[in-house]
Amino acid sequence: MSAPPNPLQSLIRNLSLRAPLDADDCRLMAALPVTVRTLEASTYVIREAERPGSCFVLMAGFAFRQKLTGDGTQQIVALHIPGDPIDLHYLALDVADHSVQMLTRGDIAVIARADLQHLVKTRPAVGHALFANMLAETAISREWIVNVGRRNALTRTAHLLCELGARLEAADLIDEYGYVLPMTQERLGDALGLTSVHVNRMLKELEIGGLISRTKRKINFPGWEQLRSIGDFNQRYLHLQADLFSHSG
């Protein structure tokens, strides 16, 4: 009987996309003590104002970061896919300034904050890889600000679909240049600053134009290069090693 996969293997692969890790770095990361938890959709991983004692890695499923306004309106400010570390800045900061919730049912690996801090101090390459990941998250945040603040509804919708596709392909989580969209139209609206009705119209417009095709929540991209153009999408800000998802037709 084969051994179960290491809970941190997806994290190691993710970090290796942006910074080199040698065999010893990978071995020591894989040896970190972890607790695996299964969480249902909408469950909080961490709430704003909590003091985190652990760091989290998303092993399966999808999660999102969000902020609430004073009147209770939600803005999704980031998406997490399998292999993503969640909020590494809490290695140095002591209070959560936003909340993280599960977008779908999924598994998270829980690592004691002190254990990861010790590894960062003793293995500089691991620290560099985690730092590179945090900088890439910051770059993605900048792009999201531009998306919501300056792009029209059709462009922002196309851009988010392109980003998610590129990130999923880099993580080897895509099926024949398509994926199952893990977000309802309401959640998409929370990420794009649009109503669910407006999101529905934008998806239909992209579909009628032949840029995407949909079967329930499965989205394929017969017009990928056109979608990139309409979405003003250049994946440079993702800081991945390769120019992935570059097919056409």
Side-chain angles (χ1 to χ4, degrees), residues 19-235:
L21 293 170
D22 66 24
D24 284 339
D25 295 324
C26 294
R27 176 180 57 80
L28 289 169
M29 285 196 71
L32 285 168
V34 301
T35 301
V36 177
R37 294 164 52 194
T38 299
L39 301 177
E40 299 299 325
S42 298
T43 301
Y44 281 86
V45 180
I46 189 168
R47 291 178 183 267
E48 185 171 353
E50 286 184 349
R51 293 183 174 273
S54 302
C55 296
F56 307 100
V57 176
L58 189 61
M59 296 170 54
F62 295 82
F64 63 95
R65 287 191 263 169
Q66 55 98 335
K67 291 281 291 184
L68 292 177
T69 63
D71 63 3
T73 304
Q74 182 184 81
Q75 178 71 40
I76 292 177
V77 297
L79 293 176
H80 287 296
I81 70 172
D84 278 356
I86 296 176
D87 291 332
L88 286 175
H89 50 270
Y90 295 133
L91 284 173
L93 303 177
D94 294 326
V95 179
D97 54 55
H98 65 280
S99 298
V100 179
Q101 287 178 264
M102 296 300 295
L103 186 59
T104 66
R105 188 175 192 268
D107 300 327
I108 62 168
V110 183
I111 310 168
R113 186 185 184 199
D115 289 341
L116 194 52
Q117 286 172 332
H118 176 73
L119 185 62
V120 166
K121 290 175 182 176
T122 56
R123 302 296 301 187
V126 173
H128 174 75
L130 294 174
F131 185 53
N133 185 276
M134 286 188 283
L135 291 177
E137 284 190 358
T138 302
I140 292 171
S141 293
R142 284 194 293 269
E143 194 71 22
W144 276 46
I145 291 170
V146 174
N147 209 37
V148 172
R150 289 297 180 183
R151 293 179 179 131
N152 64 40
L154 187 67
T155 300
R156 13 178 141 158
T157 303
H159 190 280
L160 183 58
L161 294 178
C162 288
E163 178 187 301
L164 190 55
R167 290 174 63 191
L168 288 172
E169 188 176 35
D172 198 24
L173 295 171
I174 209 159
D175 175 25
E176 297 182 359
Y177 304 113
Y179 57 83
V180 176
L181 186 65
M183 309 174 76
T184 64
Q185 291 180 11
E186 182 178 5
R187 292 293 196 199
L188 278 170
D190 288 341
L192 296 171
L194 303 171
T195 66
S196 58
V197 172
H198 206 165
V199 170
N200 184 53
R201 288 204 298 265
M202 296 305 97
L203 291 173
K204 285 183 177 177
E205 187 170 338
L206 293 172
E207 191 170 21
I208 291 170
L211 307 184
I212 65 173
S213 62
R214 294 187 291 169
T215 304
K216 296 183 178 179
R217 286 199 188 176
K218 175 67 183 294
I219 295 185
N220 290 309
F221 299 96
W224 172 252
E225 293 303 330
Q226 278 183 281
L227 188 70
R228 284 174 60 119
S229 178
I230 286 177
D232 190 24
F233 180 72
N234 183 324
Q235 67 185 52

